[in-house]
Amino acid sequence: SIVVPAYNTDPVMLKEMLQSVRDQLYPNWELCIADDCSTKLHVRSILESYAAKDPRIKLHFAPENRGVAHASNQAIAMATGPFVVLLDHDDLLEPQAIYRVAEAVIHNDADMIYSDEMMISADRKKMLYHAHRPAFSPEYLRGHPYIVHMVGFRTQLLRDIGGFDESLRISQDYDLILRASEQAKKIVHLPEILYLWRVHEN
């Protein structure tokens, strides 16, 4: 299950995010998108048009804006797969990303995974920075939030720890990763750039 909180996403970036999921080599995914009461009308129309084309896309439209942590929890609540991967509404997955996750779950019995990533320009034409991460270190993680994208967890593990802390506005991802890593029995690093993080002024 790929979970995405969405809010007033640029239409081009939203379509490219959706297409990056539809282009996955591994076909057995579901995309759970929770829109946090977007005020820009194109968001709903784009999401509904893609969902109409692909039954693997599931949508939730919130009646009020309650922040990214709440929207993320709504997306997790829709997940029916045994493993959840987090994706931002304006970012991209490489075509082999979910295949690599499935491999780690099947062959390594992973409870939590994380990969390397690349930061790219908004127009996708320029590589700005690439992050090649080390093997898992709880000491390093407590001092520096080095795990960012791509990251995934067993769905039941996320539910056992209560999902995202909705009282947090900036550090909710870091908090979730810290709490999940304390409970995970097997954490696997995928030493491959599987996630493209867009850098733009919004």
Side-chain angles (χ1 to χ4, degrees), residues 94 96-97 100-101 103-104 108 113-118 130-136 149-150 187-195:
E94 289 284 60
Q96 74 275 26
R100 297 294 188 220
V101 172
E103 281 186 321
N108 301 106
I113 63 96
Y114 63 99
S115 77
D116 302 339
E117 71 180 312
M118 183 183 296
H130 47 87
H132 296 281
R133 301 193 160 95
F136 179 70
H149 304 128
M150 184 180 61
I187 299 174
V188 174
H189 170 227
L190 303 175
E192 183 177 353
I193 290 175
L194 300 176
Y195 193 103

Side-chain angles (χ1 to χ4, degrees), residues 153-193:
F153 315 88
R154 281 203 185 273
T155 310
Q156 191 58 51
L157 172 62
L158 280 189
R159 291 176 176 154
D160 288 345
I161 65 173
F164 285 89
D165 184 341
E166 296 182 16
S167 70
L168 300 175
R169 291 289 174 177
I170 296 174
S171 58
Q172 66 275 351
D173 286 16
Y174 186 30
D175 169 78
L176 183 78
I177 289 166
L178 284 168
R179 290 186 288 115
S181 66
E182 289 178 340
Q183 302 300 322
K185 293 182 175 66
K186 186 67 177 284
I187 299 174
V188 174
H189 170 227
L190 303 175
E192 183 177 353
I193 290 175

Side-chain angles (χ1 to χ4, degrees), residues 9 16 37 46 49 64 78 88 91 116 125 127 136 152 154 170-171 177 180-181 185 197:
T9 320
E16 290 177 348
C37 198
I46 290 171
S49 70
E64 59 179 328
M78 289 191 285
D88 286 350
D91 291 339
D116 302 339
K125 293 180 180 178
M127 187 278 287
F136 179 70
R154 281 203 185 273
I170 296 174
S171 58
I177 289 166
S181 66
K185 293 182 175 66
W197 185 2

Side-chain angles (χ1 to χ4, degrees), residues 82-145:
F83 208 84
V84 163
V85 168
L86 307 183
L87 174 62
D88 286 350
H89 64 162
D90 50 3
D91 291 339
L92 305 163
L93 294 177
E94 289 284 60
Q96 74 275 26
I98 301 305
Y99 180 81
R100 297 294 188 220
V101 172
E103 281 186 321
V105 174
I106 292 168
H107 298 303
N108 301 106
D109 197 26
D111 295 312
M112 174 177 162
I113 63 96
Y114 63 99
S115 77
D116 302 339
E117 71 180 312
M118 183 183 296
M119 293 182 181
I120 60 170
S121 59
D123 61 7
R124 304 173 63 179
K125 293 180 180 178
K126 186 182 293 185
M127 187 278 287
L128 304 174
Y129 177 77
H130 47 87
H132 296 281
R133 301 193 160 95
F136 179 70
S137 165
E139 293 80 11
Y140 186 33
L141 183 63
R142 288 172 191 142
H144 176 65

